[in-house]
Amino acid sequence: MTDQDTFTAYNAATGLPLPGNFAEATAADIDKAVRSAEVAFEWLRECRPQRRGEFLRAVAAKMRLREPEILARCELETGYLPERVRGEFMRATGQLELFAGLAEESVWDVRQFDSGNPDRKPFPQPEMRRRMIPVGPVAVFGACNFPLAISVVGNDFVAAIAVGCPVVVKSHPSHPGTCKLLGEVVDEVVAEMDFPEGTFTLLHGRRPETSVALVQHPGIAAVGFTGSPNGGRALAQACLQRERPIPLFAELGSTNPVFLAPGFLAPGILAPGAVENRLEAIASGFTTSLRFGNGHMCTKPGVVVMLDRQAKAFAEAVVDKMHAGMPMPMLSAGIADAFDQGVAKLADTTGVDELYGPRSARSDGAVPPDDQAASFGPWHRDARWFAVDAITAAEQNLLHCETFGPVSLLIRCTDEEQMLWVAKQFKGSLTATLHVDQEDAAFQARWLPIAERFAGRVIYNGWPTGMEIGSATHHGGPYPASLDGRSTSVGYASLDRFVRPVCYQGWPEKALSRV
Amino acid sequence: MTDQDTFTAYNAATGLPLPGNFAEATAADIDKAVRSAEVAFEWLRECRPQRRGEFLRAVAAKMRLREPEILARCELETGYLPERVRGEFMRATGQLELFAGLAEESVWDVRQFDSGNPDRKPFPQPEMRRRMIPVGPVAVFGACNFPLAISVVGNDFVAAIAVGCPVVVKSHPSHPGTCKLLGEVVDEVVAEMDFPEGTFTLLHGRRPETSVALVQHPGIAAVGFTGSPNGGRALAQACLQRERPIPLFAELGSTNPVFLAPGFLAPGILAPGAVENRLEAIASGFTTSLRFGNGHMCTKPGVVVMLDRQAKAFAEAVVDKMHAGMPMPMLSAGIADAFDQGVAKLADTTGVDELYGPRSARSDGAVPPDDQAASFGPWHRDARWFAVDAITAAEQNLLHCETFGPVSLLIRCTDEEQMLWVAKQFKGSLTATLHVDQEDAAFQARWLPIAERFAGRVIYNGWPTGMEIGSATHHGGPYPASLDGRSTSVGYASLDRFVRPVCYQGWPEKALSRV
């Protein structure tokens, strides 16, 4: 890395460079940021949690003062629709204020007390108290797809600051300008509230070695990461190879299968189930969920599993609704390329049919190049929808390959048994969804124990996109949903990533008053 | 690996082979064990937690029926004193019964509920419930030093079975005969209680590649490991390199520093503190803790930090008590060798003084070979105690090098500030201990925030050996105490390692009655 190494951001709608240069963080930048965070940690861990709550609220308030500027830059860098960006802005500010409240209540500090017994033989039993303390400076890598809510001031930031951990953020190279504005907001709050400078540092970078250097700095105590499985695994490797290994909390990839229950009441007796009872509503819900944010969602419904005999009517209803959408920009040239490759892999697989393709393909049903989409902008892509039978899907390993963007795969099953067999093939997913009516009760009872085995969130008659942030939220799951399915990157329990227990044995309670 | 590959166990007191041959597990053995565990998991996760509690109680009861046989073999393989083995037997059976109770109460299943709001705009808010489910088959590697309580039926076993995870144990090669007896006990309970065969499998092995093959079997969902930092890191690497990475919960190494507070009330005013007020009691407690189990404890007090001016009287009191002990067997030839090397490294470091050496060295103060100890048995070693100044200890990296066995290092400090400076040099330890009296209140207030930074358990006027197993127990800490300081291998919270959260979104509560 040289000190002069800079890069620019791009307008996702036009592919043209945007104003501003962003300097790749050097080893010296990283060292300065982390050393400064270590100093800040001494103060931040001891300051009243209420102060940290006030800090998070102040960040939200200052974001609102600069809202138009932030939204405008974010729209340019992402190509998202204004309402999508505005929605994420509200989620990010709401999350800051929610976690301010959690900080004020120190909800993560679940305490345990074991009473002692001075008369126990052969040794007296000491009193023991278990409390939670922050781990130290946290490195944060934001997601490409949530420049406001999983980024500089996003889920990892709010959790780390709330518990008392300073944060060093590496901006995502596809929206460094948005990150820069958010970083200025935080810097101003740090200065105005007289927090130590190292409470927060924003670094830029697009090289893998910059990320590795950050997580391998000895002062970093934990890492929050949202990105690809390959990227996450590489950083996990870097974390393990340190002199002192540290945990990487990584949310990686997911196909988020949606199962449409078949509606059998009992063998030999056929009753209409969810698909037949609510065809239009389910088709509409699916299309909205798939197209939301142009499919740039970790919870995009990438797979639908249903009976072959119900698939035709469902496909017709969905395709009808797909036509109301239009090509939208992908987040970057690289993501557009990856999307094209993922789509080509599906389209080229023997046995895979295209159900919905580029707009120019509507009338004749062929699979032409994406010319029509390209006329909107170089990174614009329309939604794509494919279908395949269950056996081919499993054999060709199509159930686990997440292609980021507006593409989904319908799995046609011969019967209920095959649907459950498909369910058993999934290894890890953020979510699993079941659409079900009264008539599907028997299927539901068999599906749930399978689905909870591979998913972190199991959804009943809903859609995986649009997550609630609460005490019961779990955004994680067996790999590749996350590296360790026990942790969540969203919700109250995300705080638990950045604290660890300490057992105080035999201490008089008043000696622990500061803890 | 060939099918014929076998090994034997050794009598620790004589170094001679013991009866019995143990076959190195083959790839086929591992595959059979894990596939069988996967089948058992389907049943075990769905069975009532009370059944799993009864199972653990039955294992304890059957252990008691075979107690004399188990104790006898364990004494031979470890060379531990009968009371040490008997004490561990009681800890192991007590732990089985304790976790039976925890299973019956499903204490790990801390549930969360977020109420919904059907009237929320623009989207209704679904109800969400978070519950904990078992992760799947767990591979367990027992510790060399706890053949009963951190082994076949030990801490990892009780935690995994309690939550509903089958277990595949690899016995420790230094006590495979003890493991075999315990394995027979569990096998009999499995058969008598009609549990699925794959609930439990015991494998033997002494080759690293056998351990790697076990953790890399696709059916294994998590690993419990107690051993050396190098061994733990190698297995963590193997877990990360799987197609589906899994967590390794590893308890590794620790020097467990003990600080003797200096007794200053305020600058310029000198008052006697803990060392002067309780010299004999502290010297006696230290000697007992160091010699306990011949120093084969992960919580052995490997470092004592105190004022130079108080060290002479303390050393005299300790050496006096050391003489009451005698050489005891190390657990294996390899551990005896490692002990000799660790001791030699200390003895050869410029600036390190020997305070207590082999019995033959008492009169002249020289550092002779361990002839006297060797006359007891080839692996017998007496305790060793060294002293060094704080600067040398830090510069020569003596604070973090755990040498397994009865050796400890006294760090002489010039003043209170240097003692706190030493405290800041520690990076990770299972425990940190402070001996303190009223006069030391100021020191205590400064020491605690430093100590909790590097330790998982902070002890007040006690000793690190002899851990309570309760809800507030934490046996883990920043590396090298464990790989991830958030997890504990002992105590109620050890259950949390083998469950993960699932969020049930929008489900009618009655649909979740089985969960």
Side-chain angles (χ1 to χ4, degrees), chain B residues 236-259:
Chain B
Q237 183 73 33
C239 287
L240 182 58
Q241 283 169 344
R242 291 164 48 113
E243 183 184 330
R244 167 175 73 113
I246 54 171
L248 172 88
F249 300 102
E251 195 252 286
L252 301 173
S254 186
T255 53
N256 305 297
V258 175
F259 288 73

Side-chain angles (χ1 to χ4, degrees), chain B residues 23 33 73 107-108 122 169 244 249 260 263 276 284 296 298 336 361 408 454-455 476 500:
Chain B
R73 178 78 190 195
V107 296
W108 60 86
V169 179
R244 167 175 73 113
F249 300 102
L260 305 183
E276 275 134 0
S284 174
H296 289 112
C298 24
S408 188
F454 70 78
R500 67 175 176 85

Side-chain angles (χ1 to χ4, degrees), chain B residues 434-453:
Chain B
L434 180 64
H435 278 277
V436 62
D437 276 8
Q438 291 293 342
E439 296 80 358
D440 306 305
F443 183 83
Q444 169 184 316
R446 296 179 68 195
W447 179 85
L448 186 58
I450 302 169
E452 67 189 10
R453 287 282 298 276

